[in-house]
Amino acid sequence: MNANGLHQTVENLAEKIQFIYSPDCSNEARSSIYKEIETMKSDYILSLRAGFELIRKENLDVVRNFGYQLIEDAIKYFWNDIPLSEKVSIKEGVFRHISQEMKSLQDEKIYLKTSVSKLVVEIMKREFPQHWPTLGTELEQLAATNALCAQVVLLILKQVSEDVIVLRLLDGVRRKEIQQALVENLHWLMALFQRPIQLMLQTKAENDEELNQLLSTCLQTLNVYLEWIHLKLIEETGILRFCSLLLHSAPAYRAASLGCLMTVVERKGTHEEKKTIIKCVTEMDVFEPLVACCLSCSPAPDESTFHLLLSATSILVSVGELIGDLSNEDYAPPAVFPQLVTLLAELVGHPSHSVSFPLLTMWLDLLDKTALAKSPVVNGLLPQLLQTLQNKLLKVGLPSRHDSVSCRFSQFEFDDDEAFLTFFATFRNDAGLLVKKIANLIPGEALRQAIFWAEQVLAAPIQTIAEGEPPASLCTQYSPSYLQWDSMATFLECAVQYPRKNKNTKVAEAFTPQGLRLLGQLVSFTTGDALLLSTTMSAISPLTYLLSATESVLFNSLVDKLLSAIDIPHMKPNDPRRYSCRLLQSHACSSFLNLCTAHPLLLLPRLDDLVSYIMTLLNQAGESLQTSILIEAAVILTNELTDTQSQRDHLTQLLGPLANWWRSPEFSQAITRPELFAEYMGIMDWNTALAKAGNRKQCHLCLRSMDSIARRLKAAKTSGDPYDIIAGELLRPLLDNIFRYIRVSNALYSIRGQMTVEVAATLELSENEKLQILGLNAPPSNRVKSDAVRMQHFVHDTFGFALQFLNSFVVKYGAMFFSGPSLAEPLLKTLYYELESLPLARIRLLIRGITRNIVTRCPVERYNDHLIPLLPRLLEHCFRVRHGIAWETAF
C-alpha cells in the first residue's frame, strides 16, 4: 500500500475509533466496525504500519491506545511470520517511539505508558535472550534518557516479571531462559530501583510530581521482584534500608515501602532463608524506621494512618512468627528482640481490634515455644500483657456507638454491629486462650490480678448509664458496670484454670483461701439487676471447685442463690427485662448443673426438695429450659443413691407426668400422620400457632427432659444390672412414640408442597445451624425471635432431642435394645421413612447421629436379625438417590 493509501486508511481508522467510543454510536454500528477491524488485523503488515501511525503523540489518547493494541496483536499472533529485517525495524521503532515520540512524564497517561511497555514485553517473550542479548544494555541506556523513559523501563520490567515468573504465562523452557537472563542483570536492575529512592531522599522533593510518579512506579516494580529474587542479593544491595528510609516521607510512599517489606517477610523458605529475612528486617537501619512508623501511626483514628499501622504491625508480627519458628533450633534471636517483643506487647493494647487480633495469634504461637516463653525478656512482659488483655476483653467498639476510641477504628473495619460482634466472638476467644497460656506460665501473678480486678468490680458503685444512652435504673449491654463484670468473669475463668487442673501445687494451695473468700463475696453480692446477676453467675462458676463439705454454709448460700435465680418470673415477650432475665436464668441453670456434676454428694440431702420443686414446675407448666435442666440435675443426684428402689421412685416421680403426656392418646394420634401433627402443633396455619403454643411447649419439654434422663442415667454394666432394669421400666416404653415422632418429623418434608412459602421455610436449616456447618460463630443477639424463627427452632430442636434420646438408649442399653425381634422393618418404617424427600443435612444427622451406633453396637450374633435385612436397603437408597457429587459433598 502506498503512502497516500496508508494515510487514508489511518484517518478512517481514527474516525471509526472515535465514533465507537461516542454515546451516539449504536450497538449495530459498533459491532460492524469491530468486525472490520478484526478483518484488517489478519493483514499484519497493514496492522503494524497503521499502528505506528496511530500512536503518534498528536493523535487522541483513545486512538493512540488502539494503535498500541494493533501492534501488540500483530506481535502476539504473527511474530513468526514477520521477516527478520521487519522484526528489527519493529524493535527500533518501539524504542525510538519511547525515547523521542512520547509526551513528557506528567502529560502522558499511565495506561498509554503501560500499553507501550507491553509491546517490549511481548517481543521479549519471543526474542529475549537468545536473539536479543543486548536488551539489558539497551534498557539501561533508555532509562538514562529521561524520566519518562525510566518509568517506561520500570513498567517493562514489572510486566515481564509478572507474566513470566509470577503468573507463569510461558512454558517451562522459555520461562527459565528469561528468568535466568533477568537474574544475570539483577545488579543493574537493583541500581535502577535505588536511583529514584536516593533522589527523593536527597532532594526531599515530595511536591515534585514527576519524581513522585517515577518513585511510585519504582516501588511497585521492586515489590514484584522482591517476591522471587535471591535473598542474598537483597541482603547485599541493602535495598530494604532504602525502602525503610521512605517510611519518614509521604503516606503514599510509606504504604508502598511497607508493601515491599511485607513481600519479603511473607516469603516461604528454608530455615536458612528465614534467618536471612530476619537479619534483613531487624537491621537497625530497617527496624528503627519501622518502629517509628508504628508509633507515629498508632494514636490517631485516621483511616490513612490506620492502614499504614495495619501493614507495619503485620510485618512485625511476621518477624515474630519467624523467630518463633526458629526457636526450637540452636538459634539466637536478633539483638533487637527485646525491643521487638516489647513493642508487640504494647500494640496488643491498641484500640483497634484488627491491629490486636494478629498479635494475639502471634503471642499464642510464641508462648508455645518453651525457649522463648521462659526467656527473661518475654517472661518479664507477661504481667504487663495480662493487664493489657483485661482491657481487650471489654466488649466495646461497636461501629454504631461512640463510647470508646475503638468505635472510631471499627468504623474503618466493619460494615455494621453484627459483623463486629461475629468478629469479636473469635477475638475474645483468642484473648481468653492467651490469658490461659500466660496463667500457666505465671499462675501466681494471673490469680493475683484476677482477684484484684474482681474485688475492684465488687467494690465499685454500679454505673447503669452508658454514653449516648438515656438514663436507666437497670444496666444494659452497654452500661460500664456490665462491661466490667462481663470481662472480669471471663478473665477470672481463664486465670483459675491452672489451680483447678493442678490442685496439688503450691500455687493452688495458696489460692484456695483467697478463692473461697472471693467466692463468698460473689455469693453475698446482691442486686436487683438481672443482667449483673447473670455475670455474677459466670464469675461464680469457675470457683465452685474449691467447695467441700467443710464450707457447708457457703455451699448452701450458693445453692439458694442459684435456685432463686432459676425461679424468676416469666416475662412477656415485649418486656425490656425479658432478655436479661432469660440470660440470668440460663446462667443460673448452667451453674447449678455444673455444681451437681462437681459436688453431687454435697447436694444429695436437697434431692427431695429439688424433686418437689420440679413437680411444682411441671404442674404449673413452668419454663421448658429451667424444668429440663433441673430434671437433669436431679438425675445426676439420683445416681449417687445407694438404694436402687429409692432411685427408681424418684425417677418415676420425675418422669411420670412427662411419660403420661408423651404416651397420651391425643398425642399418639397426632404423630400418626404429618397433616395431623402439623395441625396439632400449629405449624400449617400460623393463625392457630398461638393457641397451639402449649402443645409445642409440652412436646419440647418432654423430649428435652427425656433426653436429659437418658444421657445422665448411669449406663448398665451387664444385662440385669439395676440400671438396666430401671431403663427397661422407665425408658423403653417411650421408644415406640420416639420412633413415630422421628417418622412424622421426616414426613413433614413430603407435604412441603401443601405449605405456604413462610411455613415451608421452617423446615430449612436455621441461620445459626448454617453458620455451625461453615465453622463460624453465630453473633450474639438479644432481638425478639419472630414466629417463623421460633417454629423453625421447635421443628429442628425437638427432632434433635428425639435422636439424642434414641442414641443414648442404644449406647447405654444396647443389650436391651437389640434383645427383641428384628428391628429392620420397624426402623425402615419409622427412622428411615421418606428418605427421598429429606434434605442432605437431615440424612446426615440420621446416619451420624444414630445409624453409626446401631451398626457398631449391635451384637455379632444378632447381625442376621437386625443389620443384614436393614443395611442393603439403606445403602441402596444412598447409591440410588443420593449418588454422585452431592452425596460425596454431604458426607
Side-chain angles (χ1 to χ4, degrees):
M1 183 181 291
N2 57 29
N4 291 334
L6 178 63
H7 180 72
Q8 185 63 37
T9 300
V10 169
E11 284 188 350
N12 290 338
L13 267 177
E15 290 176 0
K16 290 177 179 178
I17 293 165
Q18 294 177 54
F19 179 62
I20 61 177
Y21 287 108
S22 70
D24 299 329
C25 181
S26 65
N27 289 335
E28 293 79 7
R30 186 176 289 111
S31 177
S32 176
I33 294 172
Y34 278 138
K35 288 179 181 178
E36 291 179 22
I37 292 172
E38 290 301 320
T39 304
M40 187 200 74
K41 284 183 179 180
S42 60
D43 185 352
Y44 69 86
I45 296 177
L46 178 59
S47 295
L48 288 170
R49 292 180 180 178
F52 275 105
E53 290 296 324
L54 291 172
I55 63 176
R56 294 180 179 276
K57 61 183 176 183
E58 57 267 17
N59 291 327
L60 295 175
D61 289 344
V62 67
V63 174
R64 295 176 64 200
N65 190 56
F66 184 79
Y68 289 129
Q69 290 177 6
L70 278 179
I71 300 173
E72 183 182 348
D73 288 344
I75 294 172
K76 276 184 178 180
Y77 304 115
F78 300 102
W79 186 256
N80 292 336
D81 300 328
I82 299 175
L84 180 61
S85 59
E86 188 70 21
K87 291 179 181 178
V88 174
S89 298
I90 293 172
K91 296 178 190 176
E92 292 174 351
V94 171
F95 270 72
R96 182 173 57 254
H97 174 76
I98 295 172
S99 60
Q100 300 175 13
E101 299 175 5
M102 295 185 74
K103 301 175 185 177
S104 66
L105 184 143
Q106 295 184 53
D107 295 334
E108 200 70 85
K109 298 290 191 300
I110 185 64
Y111 66 88
L112 295 176
K113 301 172 194 173
T114 303
S115 296
V116 74
S117 69
K118 287 181 179 179
L119 303 183
V120 181
V121 171
E122 291 301 326
I123 299 174
M124 287 178 67
K125 291 177 183 178
R126 291 154 179 81
E127 299 289 302
F128 182 68
Q130 69 277 17
H131 300 307
W132 201 358
T134 60
L135 174 64
T137 304
E138 293 177 32
L139 288 176
E140 190 174 2
Q141 293 172 354
L142 181 63
T145 306
N146 54 48
L148 171 70
C149 294
Q151 186 180 23
V152 173
V153 169
L154 288 169
L155 291 171
I156 292 169
L157 295 171
K158 176 175 177 284
Q159 188 71 40
V160 74
S161 179
E162 287 177 342
D163 289 359
V164 177
I165 300 173
V166 179
L167 300 178
R168 301 192 169 199
L169 300 181
L170 296 182
D171 62 80
V173 176
R174 287 292 300 131
R175 187 174 67 250
K176 290 179 181 177
E177 290 175 351
I178 295 177
Q179 183 172 356
Q180 182 60 36
L182 289 174
V183 169
E184 292 173 359
N185 290 277
L186 277 178
H187 283 283
W188 80 262
L189 289 179
M190 299 303 282
L192 177 65
F193 296 147
Q194 291 177 11
R195 199 173 301 146
I197 300 175
Q198 289 176 326
L199 187 60
M200 173 60 75
L201 294 173
Q202 290 170 2
T203 60
K204 305 291 184 182
E206 294 184 0
N207 295 324
D208 187 337
E209 184 63 29
E210 186 172 286
L211 181 56
N212 287 342
Q213 286 192 38
L214 184 59
L215 182 56
S216 177
T217 307
C218 173
L219 291 172
Q220 292 174 21
T221 307
L222 174 61
N223 201 352
V224 175
Y225 277 79
L226 289 175
E227 290 185 33
W228 61 271
I229 62 176
H230 202 282
L231 289 168
K232 287 295 182 184
L233 181 63
I234 296 176
E235 184 181 6
E236 290 172 5
T237 56
I239 189 67
L240 295 186
R241 288 196 292 272
F242 288 94
C243 292
S244 298
L245 292 173
L246 288 175
L247 295 176
H248 298 296
S249 57
Y253 302 141
R254 282 191 281 174
S257 301
L258 289 171
C260 293
L261 292 171
M262 179 65 72
T263 300
V264 174
V265 298
E266 288 186 344
R267 285 180 55 163
K268 309 296 182 184
T270 63
H271 283 188
E272 289 302 319
E273 289 173 332
K274 289 179 180 179
K275 291 178 183 178
T276 304
I277 293 173
I278 294 172
K279 183 179 179 182
C280 290
V281 179
T282 56
E283 288 182 2
M284 294 307 294
D285 290 341
V286 178
F287 184 73
E288 286 186 349
L290 188 58
V291 172
C293 179
C294 272
L295 297 177
S296 63
C297 296
S298 187
D302 176 75
E303 189 164 6
S304 60
T305 57
F306 167 68
H307 290 296
L308 291 176
L309 176 62
L310 274 180
S311 300
T313 304
S314 298
I315 294 169
L316 294 173
V317 166
S318 298
V319 174
E321 290 173 345
L322 289 173
I323 294 174
D325 291 342
L326 297 173
S327 63
N328 293 330
E329 299 184 350
D330 186 15
Y331 172 73
V336 298
F337 181 68
Q339 297 97 301
L340 173 66
V341 291
T342 301
L343 179 60
L344 290 174
E346 291 175 358
L347 287 173
V348 172
H350 191 274
S352 167
H353 292 86
S354 292
V355 172
S356 304
F357 185 59
L359 288 161
L360 298 179
T361 308
M362 188 277 302
W363 274 106
L364 283 169
D365 293 338
L366 208 64
L367 295 181
D368 272 337
K369 318 298 181 183
T370 306
L372 290 177
K374 294 185 177 180
S375 66
V377 175
V378 174
N379 207 263
L381 290 170
L382 296 183
Q384 170 197 341
L385 196 55
L386 271 179
Q387 196 72 37
T388 303
L389 288 170
Q390 293 181 17
N391 294 325
K392 299 308 294 184
L393 288 171
L394 290 169
K395 191 186 291 187
V396 295
L398 276 78
S400 64
R401 299 187 59 78
H402 306 282
D403 52 0
S404 170
V405 183
S406 299
C407 298
R408 178 59 178 156
F409 285 101
S410 294
Q411 292 166 8
F412 304 146
E413 308 164 52
F414 305 102
D415 294 331
D416 50 34
D417 287 356
E418 187 171 350
F420 171 80
L421 291 173
T422 302
F423 164 81
F424 188 79
T426 305
F427 179 87
R428 176 176 271 195
N429 179 65
D430 282 5
L433 290 175
L434 185 54
V435 172
K436 291 177 183 178
K437 187 87 67 179
I438 298 173
N440 286 333
L441 295 170
I442 50 169
E445 176 62 21
L447 293 169
R448 186 195 67 78
Q449 289 193 21
I451 293 173
F452 180 75
W453 191 12
E455 290 177 343
Q456 264 192 331
V457 172
L458 280 164
I462 296 176
Q463 294 179 292
T464 59
I465 303 174
E467 185 177 337
E469 293 286 321
S473 58
L474 298 176
C475 284
T476 67
Q477 294 183 60
Y478 312 116
S479 298
S481 289
Y482 171 74
L483 294 174
Q484 286 290 328
W485 271 94
D486 180 47
S487 52
M488 179 274 292
T490 303
F491 186 86
L492 180 63
E493 181 183 2
C494 297
V496 170
Q497 184 187 45
Y498 178 85
R500 188 168 65 240
K501 291 185 176 180
N502 303 274
K503 296 180 180 179
N504 296 325
T505 60
K506 292 182 179 179
V507 173
E509 293 173 358
F511 172 69
T512 299
Q514 299 173 337
L516 286 172
R517 186 180 71 251
L518 177 60
L519 179 60
Q521 292 174 331
L522 290 169
V523 171
S524 302
F525 177 77
T526 56
T527 177
D529 196 314
L531 204 57
L532 284 187
L533 277 178
S534 69
T535 59
T536 309
M537 300 299 171
S538 300
I540 286 173
S541 291
L543 297 172
T544 54
Y545 83 95
L546 297 168
L547 294 168
S548 63
T550 57
E551 288 85 24
S552 58
V553 176
L554 178 58
F555 185 83
N556 290 328
S557 301
L558 173 58
V559 173
D560 292 338
K561 188 180 186 72
L562 293 175
L563 291 176
S564 64
I566 293 172
D567 190 26
I568 54 178
H570 178 66
M571 298 291 174
K572 295 181 180 179
N574 296 327
D575 194 313
R577 297 171 298 169
R578 178 181 173 84
Y579 171 75
S580 57
C581 290
R582 290 295 297 271
L583 190 64
L584 170 60
Q585 190 179 62
S586 175
H587 282 180
C589 288
S590 176
S591 299
F592 186 73
L593 191 60
N594 292 336
L595 197 64
C596 291
T597 305
H599 306 285
L601 294 177
L602 295 180
L603 274 167
L604 193 57
R606 287 184 172 239
L607 177 60
D608 291 335
D609 295 337
L610 179 60
V611 172
S612 299
Y613 178 61
I614 293 171
M615 299 308 297
T616 303
L617 290 177
L618 289 173
N619 294 331
Q620 295 176 353
E623 283 290 317
S624 173
L625 170 67
Q626 69 182 101
T627 307
S628 58
I629 290 287
L630 291 176
I631 288 175
E632 185 174 352
V635 175
I636 293 173
L637 298 184
T638 61
N639 287 332
E640 301 301 322
L641 293 172
T642 55
D643 183 2
T644 306
Q645 183 59 43
S646 177
Q647 182 180 21
R648 182 188 289 109
D649 293 342
H650 281 99
L651 292 175
T652 303
Q653 187 178 2
L654 290 171
L655 193 57
L658 302 174
N660 291 338
W661 187 89
W662 183 251
R663 299 169 63 190
S664 65
E666 184 183 6
F667 178 72
S668 298
Q669 177 64 25
I671 58 177
T672 55
R673 291 169 48 206
E675 295 85 358
L676 294 177
F677 176 73
E679 181 184 356
Y680 185 74
M681 297 298 177
I683 296 175
M684 291 290 282
D685 185 4
W686 284 5
N687 293 325
T688 64
L690 185 60
K692 304 293 185 180
N695 294 339
R696 293 195 302 276
K697 180 179 179 180
Q698 190 65 28
C699 180
H700 191 278
L701 172 62
C702 280
L703 281 167
R704 182 165 188 158
S705 302
M706 287 155 47
D707 169 47
S708 300
I709 293 172
R711 279 189 297 107
R712 291 295 187 173
L713 187 63
K714 282 187 179 179
K717 297 179 180 178
T718 59
S719 181
D721 182 283
Y723 292 106
D724 193 58
I725 297 172
I726 293 174
E729 292 178 357
L730 301 180
L731 301 183
R732 184 161 187 169
L734 306 175
L735 282 178
D736 289 342
N737 275 4
I738 285 288
F739 281 123
R740 293 192 186 101
Y741 190 86
I742 294 174
R743 178 186 184 278
V744 78
S745 293
N746 289 339
L748 285 175
Y749 290 90
S750 64
I751 62 168
R752 189 160 35 180
Q754 306 172 25
M755 300 178 179
T756 63
V757 176
E758 293 80 6
V759 174
T762 62
L763 301 180
E764 304 297 331
L765 291 175
S766 67
E767 290 302 318
N768 287 352
E769 288 172 321
K770 292 176 183 177
L771 291 173
Q772 287 175 3
I773 292 173
L774 295 172
L776 302 175
N777 295 319
S781 174
N782 61 345
R783 291 178 295 184
V784 177
K785 296 176 183 176
S786 64
D787 291 338
V789 172
R790 290 179 185 277
M791 197 70 74
Q792 189 178 46
H793 284 187
F794 167 76
V795 170
H796 291 283
D797 290 352
T798 53
F799 177 78
F801 291 143
L803 272 188
Q804 289 174 24
F805 174 87
L806 185 57
N807 190 56
S808 299
F809 194 90
V810 171
V811 171
K812 291 185 174 182
Y813 313 106
M816 183 194 310
F817 184 78
F818 294 106
S819 62
S822 175
L823 292 169
E825 285 301 323
L827 287 176
L828 287 169
K829 291 180 179 179
T830 56
L831 195 62
Y832 305 113
Y833 179 73
E834 292 285 356
L835 285 178
E836 288 79 4
S837 61
L838 296 184
L840 292 176
R842 178 154 287 205
I843 293 182
R844 181 175 58 186
L845 276 177
L846 287 171
I847 290 181
R848 293 183 176 179
I850 183 61
T851 308
R852 177 187 299 171
N853 282 324
I854 289 177
V855 173
T856 57
R857 299 281 175 168
C858 180
V860 177
E861 62 272 13
R862 300 304 307 271
Y863 277 6
N864 291 330
D865 297 326
H866 303 304
L867 298 187
I868 302 302
L870 170 67
L871 291 181
R873 294 169 66 179
L874 183 60
L875 293 174
E876 179 188 359
H877 167 79
C878 296
F879 288 105
R880 178 170 53 84
V881 182
R882 301 292 183 180
H883 61 84
I885 297 175
W887 182 260
E888 294 172 3
T889 304
F891 298 99

